[in-house]
Amino acid sequence: MPTFPCRYRAFILLITFLIYTCYHMSRKPISVVKSRLHHNCSEVIQPLNSTHSLNDTTWCNWAPFDKSNYKELLGAVDNAFLVAYAIGMFISGIFGERLPLRYYLTAGMLLSGLFTSLFGLGYFWNIHVLWYFVLVQIFNGLVQTTGWPAVVSCVGNWFGKGKRGLIMGIWNSHTSVGNILGSLLAGVWVDQQWGLSFVVPGVITAIMGIITFFFLIEYPEDVDCSPPQHHGNPEESQDHPEDPANGPSCNKESSLESAVTCSKEASAQPSAISFFGALRIPGVVEFSLCLLFAKLVSYTFLYWLPLYISNVVHFSAKEAGDLSTLFDVGGIIGGILAGLVSDYINGRATTCCVMLILAAPMMFLYNHVGQRGIGISIVMLLICGALVNGPYALITTAVSADLGTHKSLKGNAKALSTVTAIIDGTGSIGAALGPLLAGLISPTGWNNVFYMLIAADVLACLLLCRLVYKEILAWKSSLGKDKGYREM
């Protein structure tokens, strides 16, 4: 074995980080461009050759989003992507386990770049029919599902359970970094040629797909590195937490990735786990349903926060998009904090539940007092972003990897992608419902949108109660054993 396994592991973290940063970067422009597709044209100076009336407040809007039902139409465009993404996610995990990840991600990124660019090209081609934008979003939603199961599976191949929460908490900041980059790039062109707000991220995503084809390494064994250990002797694991730089040899049957190595050498890989087999893994159903409501909240902020800021504070499209990035900055902090705390207390469900409990009152306060000053708005966006995205980040990364390498699988290395797809696919149903409900509810007032988000947050917390109870029992049992050892 080579003496530089850490170097390769760091490289895998970096390249998968950049891969999913590009995926999320290409999703974000629509939320920034929304406020440009329909806004108050009385504030815009008409060109000298304009034939529009001075009282016409919609002359600068982009048809078909220039009518009074523009919020419903924009919600339909969002939902076209999100429903396709939710449906495709359940299928994507199955393909991800049966196809080489490098080819799968490369194809996914090239197609994602293509369909993201096609949305922006609607500006240059002067397209004003709703079906074009909806159809592009449907195809984009389907091809974007190639990203998440594949990158989590790849990282799971390289990192064991020790310190997984912290490592994946830091790594998962790609979601927020991608959102920030997408907002900033879209903001550069949103007030002029908004089509470039999509074309530029699309081209960058496609270029990253080509880089993925040449440089992604799927398994440690491909570069003669030892795979990580997921399950070993419990006492040994407790006394000697795993160092990501180290890993067991092929003859350790407790290691999931070792099973992959041994099976490769024996040319007899285990069959991929079935969909219902993955559902029987303890904790998969609870965390999946929790993520449904947690992602509903997160994606409503992702798609509607810039428009909310623009409507309530009357910022320009660029200013609203720039300010909304603070929510994602908070998400980076929340994801890292959630991973660190859950590793320290060995309680993924409890960490998620506490953050969800705190998020509900913070969302209420942000809606009522968050717009009274720029300083208050900045602080509350950071806090809300941390508390909303922290549980979402933890469930989609460390929890998915934990369950995908659960000891009940008995060495079946083919479960990680399917489990990840089930959890994120269920969450994506919530991601589709959130923006749709926001589009339907927002005409009745933004207060009602926030009440809907708070209700979803509370439901996400309640779904974890059984797992939190089990973690508390495990802590009590562990404390009892420690007390017994001290008395001896």
Side-chain angles (χ1 to χ4, degrees):
M1 291 293 176
T3 58
F4 312 108
C6 271
R7 181 182 64 185
Y8 286 109
R9 285 186 166 91
F11 173 73
I12 292 302
L13 281 181
L14 176 62
I15 193 169
T16 52
F17 181 95
L18 293 175
I19 288 169
Y20 212 68
T21 294
C22 289
Y23 272 104
H24 253 266
M25 176 186 65
S26 64
R27 298 177 196 174
K28 184 64 177 177
I30 183 64
S31 68
V32 178
V33 174
K34 272 180 185 175
S35 55
R36 176 63 182 83
L37 296 176
H38 186 103
H39 64 125
N40 189 352
C41 300
S42 62
E43 302 172 357
V44 181
I45 300 175
Q46 293 192 23
L48 294 176
N49 59 350
S50 175
T51 59
H52 298 282
S53 167
L54 293 176
N55 296 324
D56 186 357
T57 59
T58 64
W59 67 268
C60 64
N61 293 329
W62 190 268
F65 308 106
D66 56 342
K67 303 296 188 295
S68 59
N69 65 339
Y70 73 99
K71 288 184 179 179
E72 288 84 352
L73 296 182
L74 291 171
V77 171
D78 289 342
N79 232 46
F81 175 92
L82 293 168
V83 170
Y85 185 87
I87 295 171
M89 184 58 72
F90 291 103
I91 305 170
S92 178
I94 298 173
F95 284 112
E97 287 172 354
R98 292 162 173 80
L99 298 173
L101 296 179
R102 185 164 61 92
Y103 298 152
Y104 194 51
L105 280 169
T106 298
M109 297 194 77
L110 290 173
L111 290 172
S112 294
L114 171 64
F115 288 114
T116 301
S117 298
L118 282 175
F119 194 103
L121 288 173
Y123 170 84
F124 298 101
W125 295 340
N126 204 30
I127 295 176
H128 295 278
V129 289
L130 182 64
W131 67 262
Y132 173 84
F133 298 103
V134 168
L135 198 61
V136 168
Q137 287 288 77
I138 289 173
F139 284 117
N140 199 13
L142 290 172
V143 298
Q144 285 256 340
T145 61
T146 57
W148 190 242
V151 294
V152 172
S153 184
C154 187
V155 171
N157 292 336
W158 283 84
F159 291 90
K161 189 170 183 179
K163 300 179 183 177
R164 178 181 279 163
L166 175 60
I167 291 170
M168 286 195 143
I170 297 171
W171 174 77
N172 191 64
S173 62
H174 52 49
T175 299
S176 297
V177 171
N179 291 341
I180 292 169
L181 288 175
S183 295
L184 295 177
L185 284 174
V188 173
W189 295 283
V190 67
D191 290 324
Q192 289 83 37
Q193 296 179 317
W194 61 259
L196 290 175
S197 298
F198 294 90
V199 173
V200 173
V203 171
I204 294 173
T205 301
I207 292 172
M208 190 63 211
I210 297 171
I211 294 172
T212 300
F213 177 80
F214 287 106
F215 295 105
L216 182 67
I217 305 170
E218 295 181 35
Y219 297 100
E221 306 87 58
D222 293 340
V223 286
D224 295 327
C225 285
S226 56
Q229 181 176 359
H230 292 294
H231 304 289
N233 185 300
E235 294 181 5
E236 180 181 340
S237 297
Q238 188 173 357
D239 295 338
H240 304 285
E242 180 192 346
D243 183 347
N246 301 319
S249 61
C250 180
N251 60 2
K252 300 288 187 181
E253 61 183 33
S254 59
S255 169
L256 220 64
E257 271 66 39
S258 294
V260 176
T261 311
C262 296
S263 62
K264 280 183 176 181
E265 292 174 356
S267 298
Q269 294 189 17
S271 60
I273 192 171
S274 68
F275 180 87
F276 293 103
L279 285 177
R280 288 195 292 270
I281 299 172
V284 167
V285 173
E286 289 93 336
F287 275 115
S288 296
L289 293 175
C290 173
L291 186 63
L292 187 152
F293 292 103
K295 207 165 180 181
L296 182 154
V297 178
S298 181
Y299 266 64
T300 302
F301 274 100
L302 172 68
Y303 279 89
W304 287 92
L305 182 58
L307 185 61
Y308 168 77
I309 295 172
S310 179
N311 286 355
V312 175
V313 192
H314 306 296
F315 280 6
S316 70
K318 184 180 187 307
E319 291 170 337
D322 291 346
L323 185 61
S324 70
T325 61
L326 292 172
F327 184 83
D328 294 300
V329 173
I332 295 173
I333 299 170
I336 295 173
L337 184 63
L340 182 64
V341 171
S342 67
D343 276 345
Y344 181 76
I345 67 173
N346 194 26
R348 310 285 198 215
T350 304
T351 303
C352 291
C353 197
V354 170
M355 296 185 81
L356 290 168
I357 290 172
L358 295 174
M362 287 308 304
M363 286 189 287
F364 179 85
L365 289 173
Y366 172 68
N367 182 45
H368 284 82
V369 302
Q371 310 304 331
R372 294 185 179 179
I374 189 66
I376 295 175
S377 184
I378 290 172
V379 171
M380 299 203 73
L381 276 173
L382 289 171
I383 296 173
C384 285
L387 295 175
V388 168
N389 283 343
Y392 161 41
L394 187 63
I395 294 172
T396 54
T397 54
V399 169
S400 295
D402 288 350
L403 297 176
T405 56
H406 195 271
K407 59 186 178 182
S408 65
L409 295 170
K410 299 178 181 179
N412 187 350
K414 293 286 188 176
L416 185 52
S417 186
T418 295
V419 169
T420 302
I422 289 173
I423 292 176
D424 200 49
T426 307
S428 297
I429 296 173
L433 285 174
L436 172 64
L437 292 174
L440 296 174
I441 297 172
S442 57
T444 68
W446 286 106
N447 286 345
N448 294 329
V449 175
F450 275 87
Y451 294 148
M452 179 267 290
L453 297 178
I454 292 169
D457 185 84
V458 172
L459 287 172
C461 183
L462 291 175
L463 286 164
L464 292 181
C465 286
R466 189 181 72 87
L467 296 179
V468 170
Y469 179 68
K470 288 178 66 176
E471 288 180 355
I472 293 173
L473 291 180
W475 293 336
K476 290 175 68 175
S477 175
S478 178
L479 289 173
K481 290 180 181 179
D482 291 342
K483 184 177 179 182
Y485 289 142
R486 286 197 297 270
E487 289 177 352
M488 291 173 62

